[in-house]
């Protein structure tokens, strides 16, 4: 009997009993210990982890693999706080679940404060790139005397950014170079965001994945008539040197040079079908300060030849050609009609214009903060209705 009393089994049972006793005593006498060791806590922790981990899809798929995509933001050091607001909003409304990376681009080096604060704000990786000089500044072959006279004339006519050389640099860069920047080369998709924009709704899908799975090329939220005074000869170069007043009655010079690039079922074909009797629709533009697109489309032979042709005409500097009409024309020419997508459910504001969801229950599902009546879609210079009518054509 004495051997049994001192056996290892008896000793282990005594120690276990003591541990259990101490556990229950601590549970009843110390609230912090009780919360830390409760079964409910472990269950809750597991449930939260399923939501917040970067590899989980909010739609509860076991493992979520991000599309090869990035946000791209062209900004300056003095736009720090405007950029922070934009990033904070897209994080709150979307990216805190998906953790897509950011690429910030600038024609001068970003300072340390800018990099520190944006790294702090983002839930994912951030990269900061310097734009190569030859991609940003006015080419040497541009006739500066001619270009400066054009800027002076536009400024005297109160044309927005009419006198700005840096704005022209930006438009040319966004038209033909951003997707060739070394930091962008590894990505297929991009979502362009600008400083001081607003996202009014929770974004309940992954737009990148939607675009890839549905074979889309280009997506937008706002469409409008371009300011014709900024592109007086652009449509001539694209359509055949006849001043464009009616979109369908002009023939592209570029199409004459490269008819093999033009898709058959494009928005361009729809424009030509719908144009008689509509009026001035030659300058329909998908507003590019919000765009989600496939960079393989821009990097392809058709678009690169198109950009190089337009660039050779000097209109980015002799006039004030914007990247929005350039991208819009290219999408209308080289992408099939069903490859262009309108994201109604993404509430977006770039002052002074706002797109607020209006289809079905998109506003309610996204818990949007925008006022449905304050919607650029209903504005007289919005081209959304025309775009949607074009999309319905056989």
């Amino acid at each position: 009997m004495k051997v049994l009393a001192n056996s290892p089994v008896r000793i282990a049972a005594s120690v276990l009993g003591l541990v259990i006793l101490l556990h229950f005593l601590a549970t009843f006498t110390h609230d912090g210990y009780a919360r830390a060791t409760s079964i409910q806590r472990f269950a809750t922790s597991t449930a939260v982890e399923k939501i917040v981990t970067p590899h989980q899809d909010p739609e509860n798929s076991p493992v979520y693999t991000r599309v090869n995509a990035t946000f791209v933001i062209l900004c300056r050091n003095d736009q720090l706080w405007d950029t922070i607001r934009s990033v904070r909003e897209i994080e709150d409304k979307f990216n805190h679940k998906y953790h897509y990376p950011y690429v910030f681009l600038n024609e001068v080096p970003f300072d340390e404060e800018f990099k520190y604060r944006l790294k702090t704000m983002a839930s994912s990786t951030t990269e900061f790139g310097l734009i190569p000089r030859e991609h940003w500044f006015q080419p040497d072959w541009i006739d500066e005397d001619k270009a400066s006279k054009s800027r002076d004339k536009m400024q005297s006519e109160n044309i927005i950014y009419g006198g700005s050389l840096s704005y022209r640099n930006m438009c040319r860069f966004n038209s033909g170079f951003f997707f060739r920047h070394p930091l962008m080369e590894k990505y297929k998709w991009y979502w362009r965001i600008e400083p001081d924009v607003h996202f009014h709704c929770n974004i309940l899908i992954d737009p990148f994945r939607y675009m890839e799975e549905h074979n889309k090329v280009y997506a937008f939220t706002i469409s409008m008539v371009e300011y014709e005074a900024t592109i007086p000869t652009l449509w001539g170069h694209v359509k055949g040197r006849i001043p464009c007043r009616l979109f369908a009655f002009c023939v592209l010079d570029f199409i004459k040079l490269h008819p093999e690039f033009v898709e058959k079922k494009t928005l361009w074909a729809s424009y030509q079908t719908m144009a008689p009797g509509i009026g001035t629709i030659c300058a329909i533009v998908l507003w590019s300060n919000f765009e989600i697109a496939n960079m393989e489309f821009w990097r392809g032979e058709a678009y690169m030849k198109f950009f190089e042709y337009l660039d050779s005409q000097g209109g980015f500097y002799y006039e004030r050609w914007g990247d929005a009409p350039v991208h819009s024309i290219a999408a209308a020419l080289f992408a099939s009609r069903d490859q262009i997508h309108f994201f109604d459910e993404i509430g977006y504001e770039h002052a002074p214009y706002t797109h607020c969801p209006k289809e079905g229950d998109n506003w309610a599902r996204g818990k949007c903060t925008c006022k449905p009546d304050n919607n650029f879609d209903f504005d007289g210079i919005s081209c959304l209705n025309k775009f949607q009518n074009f999309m319905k054509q056989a």
Side-chain angles (χ1 to χ4, degrees):
M1 293 296 295
K2 193 172 183 179
V3 174
L4 179 62
N6 294 319
S7 69
V9 174
R10 185 66 175 268
I11 293 171
S14 299
V15 171
L16 179 61
L18 180 61
V19 169
I20 293 173
L21 177 62
L22 292 173
H23 166 73
F24 279 109
L25 285 173
T27 299
F28 285 111
T29 58
H30 298 280
D31 289 341
Y33 179 84
R35 287 193 298 270
T37 59
S38 69
I39 295 175
Q40 183 180 2
R41 174 188 177 273
F42 289 110
T44 302
S45 175
T46 301
V48 171
E49 187 68 11
K50 287 183 179 179
I51 295 174
V52 302
T53 177
H55 301 292
Q56 296 297 325
D57 182 358
E59 297 178 354
N60 298 317
S61 63
V63 177
Y64 191 82
T65 303
R66 288 187 295 271
V67 174
N68 180 19
T70 185
F71 296 103
V72 60
I73 305 180
L74 180 64
C75 49
R76 302 186 303 269
N77 288 308
D78 61 5
Q79 293 176 302
L80 169 60
W81 298 107
D82 287 342
T83 306
I84 281 178
R85 282 190 289 272
S86 294
V87 172
R88 176 72 273 162
E89 290 199 21
I90 197 62
E91 283 289 328
D92 289 345
K93 303 299 185 183
F94 169 73
N95 205 43
H96 70 283
K97 296 179 181 177
Y98 293 94
H99 307 278
Y100 279 104
Y102 294 84
V103 172
F104 299 90
L105 299 176
N106 193 350
E107 79 270 24
V108 300
F110 285 106
D111 60 40
E112 291 306 312
E113 181 185 11
F114 190 100
K115 290 189 285 188
Y116 165 73
R117 296 197 183 277
L118 268 302
K119 286 179 181 178
T120 302
M121 194 61 56
S123 66
S124 52
T125 60
T126 54
E127 294 183 286
F128 302 85
L130 179 64
I131 298 171
R133 180 178 179 82
E134 63 273 18
H135 289 181
W136 182 262
F137 291 99
Q138 178 176 295
D140 294 338
W141 52 265
I142 291 290
D143 183 337
E144 174 54 24
D145 182 60
K146 179 180 177 180
S148 63
K149 287 179 180 177
S150 173
R151 294 196 298 271
D152 291 343
K153 181 175 184 296
M154 285 192 178
Q155 188 168 19
S156 69
E157 295 171 349
N158 296 317
I159 294 173
I160 186 169
Y161 304 119
S164 174
L165 176 58
S166 64
Y167 187 84
R168 288 167 168 80
N169 291 338
M170 179 192 70
C171 291
R172 180 172 177 263
F173 173 75
N174 281 330
S175 294
F177 296 100
F178 81 92
F179 51 88
R180 292 187 274 175
H181 190 280
L183 293 183
M184 298 294 288
E185 288 178 344
K186 58 181 171 287
Y187 296 111
K188 177 180 178 181
W189 298 92
Y190 73 96
W191 182 336
R192 176 173 162 184
I193 295 178
E194 296 205 346
D196 198 25
V197 298
H198 302 285
F199 295 92
H200 288 288
C201 310
N202 293 329
I203 300 171
L204 304 178
I205 65 167
D206 180 347
F208 291 124
R209 182 163 296 284
Y210 177 89
M211 297 281 285
E212 183 153 279
E213 291 182 350
H214 292 81
N215 192 33
K216 303 296 183 180
V217 164
Y218 190 90
F220 68 100
T221 58
I222 292 177
S223 174
M224 65 177 64
V225 174
E226 178 63 296
Y227 193 1
E228 193 173 347
T230 67
I231 54 168
T233 69
L234 174 59
W235 297 99
H237 286 304
V238 174
K239 300 171 195 168
R241 308 198 184 283
I242 302 171
C244 178
R245 298 300 177 207
L246 195 57
F247 192 89
F249 299 161
C250 302
V251 179
L252 271 110
D253 278 355
F254 186 80
I255 286 181
K256 293 178 181 178
L257 294 171
H258 297 285
E260 70 277 12
F261 292 138
V262 182
E263 290 283 338
K264 293 181 179 179
K265 292 186 177 181
T266 62
L267 282 181
W268 181 263
S270 298
Y271 291 156
Q272 305 244 19
T273 301
M274 291 288 291
I278 286 181
T280 305
I281 62 170
C282 63
I284 285 179
V285 164
L286 312 178
W287 215 21
S288 60
N289 53 66
F290 173 104
E291 59 184 7
I292 302 174
N294 185 341
M295 285 184 281
E296 292 180 0
F297 181 73
W298 305 135
R299 294 164 180 153
E301 184 182 9
Y303 182 78
M304 285 306 303
K305 285 187 178 296
F306 181 65
F307 168 73
E308 290 165 0
Y309 170 76
L310 294 180
D311 194 35
S312 70
Q313 307 304 310
F316 290 105
Y317 294 98
Y318 299 143
E319 295 176 8
R320 205 222 67 190
W321 295 357
D323 52 282
V326 172
H327 283 184
S328 300
I329 297 168
L333 284 171
F334 310 130
S336 297
R337 190 168 43 202
D338 59 5
Q339 291 182 301
I340 302 174
H341 185 71
F342 167 61
F343 275 115
D344 176 73
E345 62 268 44
I346 299 179
Y348 172 73
E349 178 181 349
H350 184 296
Y353 304 122
T354 299
H355 162 70
C356 194
K358 65 182 187 302
E359 296 178 2
D361 62 350
N362 282 342
W363 186 91
R365 291 182 67 246
K367 300 185 185 299
C368 302
T369 58
C370 53
K371 185 179 179 181
D373 292 342
N374 181 25
N375 195 339
F376 181 74
D377 299 352
F378 306 129
D379 194 281
I381 63 171
S382 171
C383 291
L384 182 62
N385 286 338
K386 291 186 178 70
F387 169 83
Q388 291 176 328
N389 287 335
F390 296 153
M391 294 294 286
K392 294 175 185 176
Q393 297 303 299

